[in-house]
């Protein structure tokens, strides 16, 4: 299943700065940021929605893709943290090369939300250049030793990762992937 749509029910609520918002507002914010940044149909309206929802999130964490979002969700769950309740909106950008667009829209020259981010070691150059371009330092932005998926395996172990994948309903897909010729020699 899609980690963005299988996360939490609509009955929970979030209170930030004295304002109570349904939990789905964080998912709506995440999805709307992606639409806005991608310039898809409705991007202008999405920008208006993002501006209106920006107060829902204390921090927006930019990650490369949906697998990174799933990894952060799994790690947060394992540590008993609820990122939505804490006002943290994790946004998958669709690749590290998109960082500049997200920083322009969300950073100091855009709507000015507090930003953080994670990238893989081989994508660090894109992040540093884009952060410099918008006048942000690297504080709050972190580089994973290899990639975030490796960090997830390291933190949870292979069995733990398989439980996360199974909980998402994607274990059959993983098994098919593991049977591909290029994956057969790998231990995990």
């Amino acid at each position: 299943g899609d980690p963005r749509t299988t996360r939490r029910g609509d009955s929970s609520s979030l209170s930030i700065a004295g304002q109570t918002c349904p939990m789905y507002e964080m998912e709506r914010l995440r999805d709307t940021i992606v639409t806005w940044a991608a310039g898809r149909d409705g991007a202008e309206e999405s920008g208006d929605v993002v501006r209106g929802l920006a107060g829902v999130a204390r921090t927006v964490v930019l990650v490369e893709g949906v697998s990174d979002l799933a990894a952060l969700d799994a790690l947060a769950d394992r540590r008993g943290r609820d990122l939505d309740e804490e006002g943290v909106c994790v946004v998958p950008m669709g690749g590290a090369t998109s960082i500049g667009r997200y920083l322009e829209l969300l950073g100091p020259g855009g709507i000015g939300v507090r930003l953080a981010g994670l990238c893989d070691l081989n994508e660090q150059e894109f992040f540093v250049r884009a952060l410099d371009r918008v006048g942000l330092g690297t504080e709050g932005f972190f580089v994973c030793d290899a990639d975030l998926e490796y960090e997830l395996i390291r933190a949870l172990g292979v069995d733990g990762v398989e439980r996360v994948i199974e909980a998402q309903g994607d274990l059959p897909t993983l098994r098919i992937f593991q049977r591909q010729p290029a994956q057969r020699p790998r231990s995990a």
Side-chain angles (χ1 to χ4, degrees):
D2 184 324
R4 294 172 302 155
T5 58
T6 59
R7 295 169 32 91
R8 295 180 177 53
D10 291 344
S11 61
S12 300
S13 64
L14 170 64
S15 178
I16 294 178
Q19 181 180 12
T20 302
C21 302
M23 293 303 295
Y24 71 86
E25 292 295 334
M26 196 65 78
E27 287 186 31
R28 182 172 173 224
L29 176 60
R30 177 181 10 266
D31 293 342
T32 307
I33 288 171
V34 170
T35 298
W36 186 31
R40 297 182 189 142
D41 287 343
E44 187 173 318
E45 296 84 15
S46 294
D48 293 338
V49 171
V50 169
R51 287 182 200 88
L53 291 173
V56 170
R58 286 191 345 228
T59 302
V60 172
V61 178
L62 301 172
V63 296
E64 293 181 43
V66 293
S67 64
D68 301 307
L69 168 62
L72 285 181
D73 277 345
L75 290 172
D77 286 346
R78 183 160 193 241
R79 298 192 184 276
R81 308 277 302 266
D82 187 323
L83 298 179
D84 291 344
E85 284 186 19
E86 294 178 30
V88 177
C89 182
V90 181
V91 176
M93 300 181 298
T97 59
S98 298
I99 184 72
R101 175 75 174 143
Y102 283 84
L103 293 175
E104 289 170 12
L105 294 172
L106 302 172
I111 63 173
V113 297
R114 180 175 177 226
L115 294 171
L118 293 168
C119 70
D120 300 341
L121 182 59
N122 61 346
E123 309 295 352
Q124 181 178 8
E125 181 181 318
F126 294 113
F127 270 60
V128 171
R129 262 198 324 258
L131 288 164
D132 286 344
R133 217 174 23 250
V134 298
L136 289 174
T138 57
E139 184 176 335
F141 286 81
F142 301 91
V143 178
C144 299
D145 287 336
D147 57 38
L148 192 53
E149 294 80 5
Y150 168 79
E151 298 289 342
L152 176 66
I153 294 168
R154 191 174 64 128
L156 298 180
V158 172
D159 292 338
V161 171
E162 284 191 2
R163 284 192 298 275
V164 168
I165 293 169
E166 183 175 26
Q168 294 293 321
D170 289 332
L171 196 55
T173 303
L174 173 65
R175 297 297 182 230
I176 291 168
F177 176 74
Q178 289 174 320
R179 288 192 301 265
Q180 292 178 354
Q183 304 306 321
R184 288 184 196 145
R186 301 180 92 174
S187 61

